[in-house]
Amino acid sequence: MDLTNKQIQVAHLNGFHYIWQLERDDGKIVSQFEHDGEEVALAERFKILPKSPLDKYGDSIVVEGVRRGAWVATVEGLNSMSVDVEKGENLVIYRKSYLGSDSMKYFCYCLGVRREDVETDPVELVYYLCPPTVVLDKFKKPREFKGGITRSKDPLHRNEFDTFSSKL
Amino acid sequence: MPATLQWQQSTAASATWSGSDSFIRFKAANNNTDDLNNPLVRPSAGTNYSWEKALRIYVASGTFTQLSSLRVKLSTADIGTGLGGNVAQAYDFKSAYTQPIGTGPMAGREGALGTSEVAWNNAVNHAIGDGVAVQWNGSDLLYCQLEIGTGSGGELTSWNTIAVYNEI
């Protein structure tokens, strides 16, 4: 699931660390950017799983009809990550975005699978990819976040950046 | 490109929103200027309140499929040092715009001061500092207010009100 130089270039220009790339059940691979650099709206190519308002994983975005999903790094030094989606599972993929009142911006990338073996008790196993960054603390001093990856099935799980930013 | 979201404030009788690219300063005046005028002072008795801040999240631009699960949190549970729990940021959600007020607490939303280092509370004294976010219906407006109680000493530091949302 390689990317073209053109796709990577456009992703860089748009400020992405990672871009999504999904392999449909029929084997066709769809990337966030076309070869000419035009961006693809995921919901126009895939069906987003509707959820009950009472779903304990109500915050996540789940995509149907995918057998493999990936966040592909567009920055040298960052690792790409993919998951295989087994029968009876759907792909969980979204960016968790942070916008501070001081204009701080940060993206964490979520990737995993959702199982509904028991319809009323779904389980989502999700990785949180948190790229490194530098943000200002409450004394307006720059603080380095080294990044990290965690895995959880707890819908209220706090990722590495949540933990870091709560101590600023 | 990712959705470009922006914090916006309004102080007018009829909603007139403007972007906030710098710090939001609670003060004893109804304006969005980040300056040192109209400071809040500790009362000799009772509680002093800042003018409310009427805030919203505005989607300025971007190509995106779906934004969901808007939440809001503070970057810290401790917005100062040595304050004895006598300073808090209260919040409320309103479905329709009303001009910010500058006298007394937001109706029915006064948080309890002096019980702990509560940085973020509402009528039920629901502390959500330390990185824990609350759900925010995106069509609602967020109203915030600083409450300051009696006492002396201590230092109020800068902190971040952070909007968190999922995007794909």
Side-chain angles (χ1 to χ4, degrees), chain A residues 14-16 20 32-33 39-44 48 58-61 63 71 93-105 107 110 136-140 158 161-168, chain B residues 1-7 20-24 34 57 63-69 71 73-81 130-132 135 155 157-168:
Chain A
N14 286 330
F16 283 101
W20 55 259
Q32 185 169 352
F33 291 94
E39 188 169 3
V40 172
L42 187 144
E44 293 178 0
I48 307 293
D59 285 349
S60 74
I61 296 174
V63 182
W71 284 114
I93 187 167
Y94 60 96
R95 280 191 304 271
K96 185 176 178 182
S97 305
Y98 301 77
L99 175 66
S101 52
D102 66 349
S103 297
M104 179 274 291
K105 292 175 184 171
F107 293 134
C110 301
L136 299 179
D137 66 12
K138 61 185 178 181
F139 301 107
K140 302 182 184 179
R158 295 172 59 183
F161 185 74
D162 289 324
T163 302
F164 167 81
S165 61
S166 69
K167 297 175 181 173
L168 292 174
Chain B
M1 62 181 296
T4 302
L5 272 61
Q6 183 183 50
W7 283 95
S20 171
D21 292 323
S22 61
F23 290 90
I24 297 169
D34 180 18
I57 296 294
T63 305
F64 54 91
T65 293
Q66 179 175 328
L67 297 176
S68 64
S69 302
R71 289 147 281 167
K73 66 178 184 177
L74 296 189
S75 60
T76 176
D78 183 0
I79 58 179
T81 55
D130 198 20
V132 181
Q135 294 295 324
E155 181 181 2
T157 53
S158 178
W159 67 95
N160 218 342
T161 303
I162 300 174
V164 184
Y165 55 95
N166 296 341
E167 176 184 5
I168 192 66

Side-chain angles (χ1 to χ4, degrees), chain B residues 99-141:
Chain B
Q99 186 174 27
I101 61 169
T103 55
M106 295 190 292
R109 299 294 175 180
E110 181 179 6
L113 295 177
T115 54
S116 64
E117 288 284 358
V118 177
W120 180 236
N121 56 15
N122 67 7
V124 294
N125 197 24
H126 177 54
I128 58 167
D130 198 20
V132 181
V134 291
Q135 294 295 324
W136 178 359
N137 181 343
S139 63
D140 285 348
L141 305 172

Side-chain angles (χ1 to χ4, degrees), chain B residues 8-18 32 54-56 95-100 141 143:
Chain B
Q8 291 192 332
Q9 304 183 57
S10 175
T11 59
S14 297
T16 305
W17 299 101
S18 60
N32 294 337
L55 304 168
R56 73 173 186 180
S95 58
Y97 179 80
T98 57
Q99 186 174 27
L141 305 172
Y143 281 69

